[in-house]
Amino acid sequence: MEPAERAQAARDRVPRIDPYGFERPEDFDYAAYEEFFSTYLVILTRRAIKWSKLLKGSGIVQKSMTVKRYIRKGVPLEHRARVWMGVSGAQAQMDRNPGYYHRLLQGERNDSLEEAIRTDMNRTFPDNVKFRKSADPCLQKTLYNVLLAYGHHNQGVGYCQGMNFIAGYLILITKNEEESFWLLDALVGRILPDYYSPAMLGLKTDQAVLGELVRTKLPAVAALMDGHGVLWTLVVSRWFICLFVDTLPVETVLRIWDCLFNEGSKIIFRVVLTLIKQHQAFILEATSIADICEKFKEITKGSFVTECHTFMQKIFSEPGSLSMTTIARLRESCRAKLLAQG
């Protein structure tokens, strides 16, 4: 079969809308995806059997070395909400605070918060059929509620752009408003230190930490960035704020989040360092600021990121050792520098 015929045959077999409701982009490589997915399906089936045995009974999923190993190899979609809720501490928080979410929704009106959230509704996943006004049920209302409740719950953050994309993914996976709220709380309140507060000090700190890690592990890339005066925020701030949503393929993002909920924010650094290391030669071809920005967009596309199972194996091998102790030390020094700069 000719390549064009093979591509058309794959296009006929692979649905145009993915399992999460996203329309596949115009330039989607159906043939490459079908080839990848046929092997990935075998892995998913094998993992699903193992997870079903592990999750027998109805208890909360607790962190353990076995659970960590299983999570790194991928959580089947049917167990994802339960696993995320367990390992992130969201389930424990929800159990300790019955009725709290609904009380937040009935709380005092906050016009500026409501307006900020409403403004972003139509900008959230226009390529997802479940978030369209014509959908029944339309997930925009659910998304609005989760973000509104969170704004009341954490008034120091309120609502920040980027949280809409994160909450949207949580809703697609849990199919449950209250669980999505508690998972958002786990991310914004505990896992991502101070990313979404008005000053975004945590976000700026972590971008500076990334700069230090690249300087140590990939000095040629650090030299290129320094030579052109490119700040890391220019190329990676969206990756950090949206946790790779709308940057990497959906399945890959979900595999990253599996580990993020269990192992914490160091996973973000592992992903970014792996993307840079894998494409180091390509990035180093850049000759201008615009060129660098373009190359950082390019490295989030193609088979390396689509083949999520191999990609996840790489994030735990390519960057080398990366402990939370190292991250904490770098955060402390970078944060101090930022505060000194005012």
Side-chain angles (χ1 to χ4, degrees), residues 4 16 32 62 78 140 144 149 202 224 239-240 242 288 303 318:
R16 199 179 58 81
Q62 304 279 2
E78 65 266 31
Q140 279 194 19
Y144 177 82
L224 174 79
W239 300 3
F240 278 79
C242 297
S288 67
S303 61
E318 290 300 307

Side-chain angles (χ1 to χ4, degrees), residues 83-274:
V83 172
W84 287 3
M85 289 292 288
V87 297
S88 67
Q91 186 68 52
Q93 285 290 94
M94 187 166 103
D95 293 346
R96 273 198 294 271
N97 295 280
Y100 177 68
Y101 173 71
H102 297 287
R103 286 198 298 279
L104 287 171
L105 287 177
Q106 286 148 17
E108 213 173 301
R109 294 287 301 269
N110 179 332
D111 292 341
S112 62
L113 174 67
E114 290 174 26
E115 185 51 38
I117 296 169
R118 208 172 280 118
T119 302
D120 272 358
M121 279 300 103
N122 288 330
R123 299 179 197 157
T124 310
F125 304 137
D127 58 339
N128 190 302
V129 295
K130 297 180 182 184
F131 282 90
R132 295 207 179 128
K133 284 209 169 83
S134 54
D136 183 25
C138 169
L139 291 183
Q140 279 194 19
K141 178 62 180 157
T142 310
L143 178 63
Y144 177 82
N145 285 350
V146 170
L147 293 170
L148 183 66
Y150 194 77
H152 285 308
H153 165 69
N154 185 344
Q155 291 176 14
V157 168
Y159 170 70
C160 171
Q161 280 188 329
M163 285 166 61
N164 52 325
F165 292 108
I166 293 170
Y169 259 48
L170 295 173
I171 290 162
L172 287 171
I173 295 305
T174 63
K175 301 180 174 62
N176 181 301
E177 221 172 277
E178 191 174 3
E179 288 182 1
S180 298
F181 165 79
W182 287 111
L183 284 168
L184 185 64
D185 180 51
L187 282 170
V188 177
R190 296 192 297 281
I191 295 171
L192 306 172
D194 209 8
Y195 272 31
Y196 303 95
S197 61
M200 289 186 156
L201 184 59
L203 178 70
K204 290 171 186 166
T205 299
D206 276 4
Q207 287 171 10
V209 169
L210 175 68
E212 292 304 315
L213 290 170
V214 173
R215 203 175 302 287
T216 312
K217 293 173 181 285
L218 301 158
V221 176
L224 174 79
M225 299 289 278
D226 291 344
H228 287 280
V230 177
L231 297 172
W232 281 103
T233 185
L234 192 63
V235 289
V236 299
S237 64
R238 187 174 168 80
W239 300 3
F240 278 79
I241 292 171
C242 297
L243 301 178
F244 307 104
V245 171
D246 265 10
T247 296
L248 296 177
V250 183
E251 197 60 49
T252 308
V253 174
L254 295 172
R255 287 289 302 268
I256 292 166
W257 285 22
D258 290 344
C259 297
L260 180 66
F261 278 117
N262 189 51
E263 298 183 51
S265 53
K266 68 177 179 182
I267 295 298
I268 300 171
F269 297 108
R270 285 199 166 279
V271 172
V272 178
L273 289 168
T274 302

Side-chain angles (χ1 to χ4, degrees), residues 45-65:
T45 307
R46 196 167 62 236
R47 300 310 312 160
I49 294 164
K50 293 194 175 226
W51 272 102
S52 292
K53 282 182 187 160
L54 184 74
L55 296 179
K56 271 207 175 93
S58 57
I60 293 178
V61 182
Q62 304 279 2
K63 288 188 180 189
S64 71
M65 287 312 290

